[in-house]
Amino acid sequence: AQSVTQLGSHVSVSEGALVLLRCNYSSSVPPYLFWYVQYPNQGLQLLLKYTTGATLVKGINGFEAEFKKSETSFHLTKPSAHMSDAAEYFCAVNSWHQFYFGTGTSLTVIP
Amino acid sequence: NAGVTQTPKFRVLKTGQSMTLLCAQDMNHEYMYWYRQDPGMGLRLIHYSVGEGTTAKGEVPDGYNVSRLKKQNFLLGLESAAPSQTSVYFCASKETEDYGYTFGSGTRLTVV
């Protein structure tokens, strides 16, 4: 069975500071991994994904994530937070036809 | 614009009423999904479909039914709504296994 754990349901950073959102997964097979962002009253948008190949994946809006198989992690980072980054972020694992989502991390950016 | 369209966007039901949520995609995707989103619980899969005429149960299927008579449409039905079904419902579709989902903008359902 697959599962996704997001450490920290709420994260606050100052504008311009590093953003680090943590995601660990459990999977019996090499997974496909995703990060989604959800702005208030909207659906989820794909930020980035890892399927195969390079383990450092770059996404939209300056975000990137690194797949570390040995640590079963797929943490999301951004060097410098912007006010517009305030949103809910979901990590997800894809296994066969189903996605398994983490419970989400709400990011607050402090001016 | 191509994408996933959900109707309606908002709805209030009385306990015991029925309704159908419609999801339509114009990207010719094979796979379609219905999720519900509740605070602190992330997204939970209700039902999904891997192609026209096929449906399968997800994590929380009880109280819901679905149909995929046409490839582009995926309907979610509530036969007898209950307050526990108050939630935000998202439809999603994807082309293949290693692609990410394209999500609709959601339906906010309140059952009173």
Side-chain angles (χ1 to χ4, degrees), chain A residues 35-103:
Chain A
W35 275 99
Y36 286 86
V37 60
Q38 183 180 31
Y39 298 101
N41 299 314
Q42 295 187 25
L44 280 72
Q45 301 174 28
L46 181 65
L47 266 181
L48 49 80
K49 66 176 181 178
Y50 169 79
T51 54
T52 60
T55 57
L56 182 62
V57 180
K58 295 186 184 299
I60 62 172
N61 301 336
F63 284 93
E64 61 182 36
E66 186 171 10
F67 169 57
K68 292 186 176 181
K69 185 177 179 180
S70 62
E71 299 178 7
T72 61
S73 68
F74 191 56
H75 301 331
L76 181 70
T77 61
K78 182 174 181 177
S80 177
H82 191 273
M83 295 299 295
S84 61
D85 295 328
E88 187 96 16
Y89 292 81
F90 292 92
C91 181
V93 169
N94 186 15
S95 174
W96 191 225
H97 296 298
Q98 296 191 33
F99 270 60
Y100 297 85
F101 286 89
T103 52

Side-chain angles (χ1 to χ4, degrees), chain B residues 25-44:
Chain B
Q25 53 96 2
D26 57 5
M27 299 170 286
N28 203 36
H29 286 175
E30 288 290 340
Y31 309 137
M32 297 186 74
Y33 305 78
W34 277 106
Y35 283 88
R36 59 177 290 172
Q37 184 178 31
D38 302 289
M41 305 190 73
L43 280 83
R44 293 181 292 169

